[in-house]
Amino acid sequence: VIRDITDRKRSELQMQSYLHQIQEREQNLNSLIHSAPDGVIVLDKEGIVQLWNPKCENIFGWSAPEVLGRNKEGNTFFIELNVSADTQNGEPVFIAFLRDISEKKNAQEALLKRKRLLNEAQEVAKLASYERNLGQDTIQWSDNAYAILGVSPDTDLSRLEYVFSFIHPADRADFFSRYQEIEKISGAASIEFR
């Protein structure tokens, strides 16, 4: 008995080619996940860790063998988190991409503290300050500016023309001249007026 197995061999070769492509894609995906700049975690529906990339090890301080197949709890810190739901083998899983933003949050909190201290000092000294972004033509006033000008904090002081209306008429020409000089330089400057 002689059988033509050409179609079977062709199917086997095609199947091997598909398997090879799948393996390559899986290797590429694993490489991408393991070299990602963010932490990547996959959890099943019970919260059990199924995947834990090296960036997670840096962020949390736990190695993959310590967390895989477990539900870990530990230190509290700030993260930026993006989560998506998917299914694997017919079961729901949750894929999380995260990054540790503790340094960013600490810097923001320190900046807010400095701003509060500056506002308190300006209130005691009866001073106000503003910052003008020439590129965007925006102005941000310190909190005490509103009290000094006698306007509510929701008043729009972003237009200098409005602020100039508070300057004593006898001081306006000098103020405008000094203000134009200050706009030409970078850095801090001080103008006193009535």
Side-chain angles (χ1 to χ4, degrees):
V1 175
I2 299 176
R3 283 192 199 154
D4 184 3
I5 59 169
T6 305
D7 288 338
R8 189 176 81 184
K9 286 294 185 183
R10 190 176 300 134
S11 293
E12 287 175 2
L13 288 173
Q14 193 173 24
M15 183 63 78
Q16 286 176 346
S17 174
Y18 288 149
L19 286 174
H20 181 70
Q21 288 175 7
I22 290 170
Q23 288 171 339
E24 277 187 352
R25 287 182 182 160
E26 192 171 300
Q27 286 173 347
N28 289 341
L29 182 59
N30 280 332
S31 177
L32 178 69
I33 289 170
H34 284 81
S35 64
D38 297 333
V40 180
I41 302 171
V42 176
L43 305 171
D44 67 13
K45 64 184 178 184
E46 279 84 37
I48 305 300
V49 178
Q50 302 298 313
L51 185 137
W52 186 265
N53 79 338
K55 189 64 177 183
C56 287
E57 293 180 4
N58 295 341
I59 293 171
F60 292 99
W62 300 320
S63 68
E66 289 179 278
V67 295
L68 289 175
R70 296 192 174 102
N71 190 338
K72 293 285 282 188
E73 293 182 19
N75 299 335
T76 301
F77 55 92
F78 294 104
I79 61 169
E80 185 177 282
L81 178 68
N82 293 302
V83 179
S84 63
D86 199 3
T87 56
Q88 287 182 357
N89 301 321
E91 293 292 322
V93 294
F94 302 93
I95 304 165
F97 296 88
L98 57 103
R99 72 176 49 141
D100 184 349
I101 58 167
S102 297
E103 286 182 27
K104 179 181 175 182
K105 278 297 209 181
N106 291 339
Q108 287 174 338
E109 288 176 7
L111 185 61
L112 287 174
K113 182 179 179 182
R114 286 187 188 121
K115 184 178 178 186
R116 279 193 304 273
L117 291 172
L118 175 62
N119 283 334
E120 289 173 14
Q122 287 184 353
E123 189 175 332
V124 168
K126 306 244 185 282
L127 295 173
S129 63
Y130 75 92
E131 183 177 322
R132 182 168 184 202
N133 182 323
L134 296 174
Q136 296 178 353
D137 197 29
T138 57
I139 299 174
Q140 180 154 0
W141 288 87
S142 64
D143 293 344
N144 203 42
Y146 300 95
I148 289 173
L149 295 174
V151 297
S152 78
D154 56 337
T155 302
D156 180 14
L157 297 179
S158 63
R159 291 188 20 231
L160 280 178
E161 298 81 22
Y162 180 72
V163 177
F164 292 154
S165 70
F166 287 93
I167 299 171
H168 192 277
D171 292 345
R172 286 183 186 160
D174 185 46
F175 178 86
F176 283 115
S177 173
R178 287 278 294 130
Y179 187 80
Q180 287 174 343
E181 289 174 24
I182 290 169
E183 279 192 328
K184 293 177 187 173
I185 63 170
S186 61
S190 177
I191 305 176
E192 291 185 24
F193 59 90
R194 297 179 275 168

